[in-house]
């Protein structure tokens, strides 16, 4: 990243490594980089580090912001220049901007193909003792009931989803989900016995 060397502050030589985006410099502690010196304002200037370069902006400081001795309100910084805040000189050692984009390795699908039995039935690639009962509508992968992800939606409806791609799966056969009848659901919900009037 871009690097600045503060030569005239209080104490030893200060090294500033700018972060991407806005960097605030000044005497106050709540700046990104504090430079303690009587000629530097509490919020003296801000340095904007972009992929296109570095821009410095004066924040209405008392003693001004200068590049190579020239006063500036806003200017682009180059390597080798001297930025001056009040009586403090800051050498622009590097203006390099490094933007790293992380690489994500996609693992290849290593699911083995299903074993086909003599009667035409297939064994699940992940559970070899179970028969294939479902197939994904998108990636066409076959699986048993144990592989399927069950997601309950509002209202009680259950979605069957593929563990590989997350799309819907369909039942091929061999496993049926029995839908309870309206009377059976009614009987489970209402537990009160019906009372008859005695004559």
């Amino acid at each position: 990243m871009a690097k600045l060397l503060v030569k005239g502050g209080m104490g030893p030589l200060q090294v500033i490594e700018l972060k991407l985006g806005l960097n605030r410099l000044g005497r106050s502690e709540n700046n990104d980089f504090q430079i303690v010196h009587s000629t530097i304002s509490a919020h003296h200037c801000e340095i904007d580090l972009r992929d296109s370069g570095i821009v410095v902006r004066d924040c209405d400081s008392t003693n001004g912001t200068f590049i190579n001795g020239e006063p500036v309100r806003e200017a682009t910084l180059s390597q080798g220049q001297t930025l001056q805040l009040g009586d403090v000189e800051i050498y622009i050692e590097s203006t390099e901007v490094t933007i790293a984009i992380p690489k994500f390795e996609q693992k290849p699908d290593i699911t083995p193909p299903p074993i086909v039995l003599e009667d035409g039935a297939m064994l699940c690639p992940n559970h070899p003792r179970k028969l294939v009962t479902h197939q994904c509508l998108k990636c066409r992968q076959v699986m048993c009931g144990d592989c399927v992800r069950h997601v309950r939606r509002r209202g009680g409806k259950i979605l069957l989803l593929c563990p590989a791609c997350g799309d819907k799966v369909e039942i091929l056969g061999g496993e049926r989900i029995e839908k309870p009848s309206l009377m059976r659901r009614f009987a489970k919900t209402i537990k009160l016995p019906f009372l008859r009037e005695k004559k």
Side-chain angles (χ1 to χ4, degrees):
M1 278 297 180
K3 191 184 287 186
L4 311 178
L5 300 176
V6 182
K7 294 194 232 175
M10 301 290 200
L13 182 74
Q14 186 178 352
V15 178
I16 293 176
E17 288 192 10
L18 298 174
K19 61 180 174 55
L20 201 60
L22 212 57
N23 300 266
R24 292 177 180 87
L25 281 73
R27 197 176 66 247
S28 174
E29 288 180 5
N30 59 2
N31 288 290
D32 296 302
F33 300 100
Q34 183 184 20
I35 303 172
V36 180
H37 196 276
S38 59
T39 61
I40 291 183
S41 298
H43 301 285
H44 198 100
C45 70
E46 55 188 28
I47 298 176
D48 195 2
L49 180 62
R50 311 173 192 159
D51 57 349
S52 57
I54 305 175
V55 176
V56 62
R57 282 182 215 94
D58 185 73
C59 297
D60 296 322
S61 62
T62 305
N63 295 310
T65 301
F66 304 84
I67 296 178
N68 292 341
E70 295 293 320
V72 294
R73 294 286 302 152
E74 182 172 326
T76 303
L77 291 172
S78 302
Q79 186 172 335
Q81 287 182 324
T82 300
L83 175 68
Q84 189 175 333
L85 312 181
D87 291 341
V88 177
E89 287 187 353
I90 301 172
Y91 178 71
I92 315 301
E93 186 178 84
S94 168
T95 57
E96 185 182 317
V97 180
T98 307
I99 300 173
I101 300 170
K103 292 182 180 178
F104 297 99
E105 290 184 20
Q106 190 172 0
K107 293 181 181 177
D109 185 17
I110 52 171
T111 306
I115 298 169
V116 181
L117 303 175
E118 289 179 10
D119 63 354
M122 292 183 285
L123 294 176
C124 177
N126 299 316
H127 303 95
R129 294 176 186 259
K130 300 206 171 196
L131 292 174
V132 166
T133 54
H134 296 77
Q135 184 173 25
C136 177
L137 296 170
K138 185 178 179 184
C139 69
R140 308 307 295 169
Q141 186 171 326
V142 291
M143 63 204 80
C144 69
D146 287 352
C147 294
V148 177
R149 286 188 1 217
H150 295 76
V151 177
R152 186 177 297 277
R153 292 182 70 184
R154 186 181 248 170
K157 187 176 179 182
I158 296 174
L159 283 178
L160 305 178
L161 302 176
C162 174
C165 70
D167 211 70
K168 290 183 181 177
V169 299
E170 62 181 348
I171 299 171
L172 295 177
E175 181 179 79
R176 300 231 178 265
I177 297 173
E178 185 183 332
K179 280 191 173 181
S181 67
L182 181 63
M183 286 308 290
R184 190 177 294 171
R185 279 191 279 168
F186 185 72
K188 281 185 178 180
T189 308
I190 302 202
K191 301 287 184 185
L192 298 173
F194 291 101
L195 300 174
R196 292 184 183 175
E197 280 187 29
K198 290 183 181 178
K199 291 184 180 179

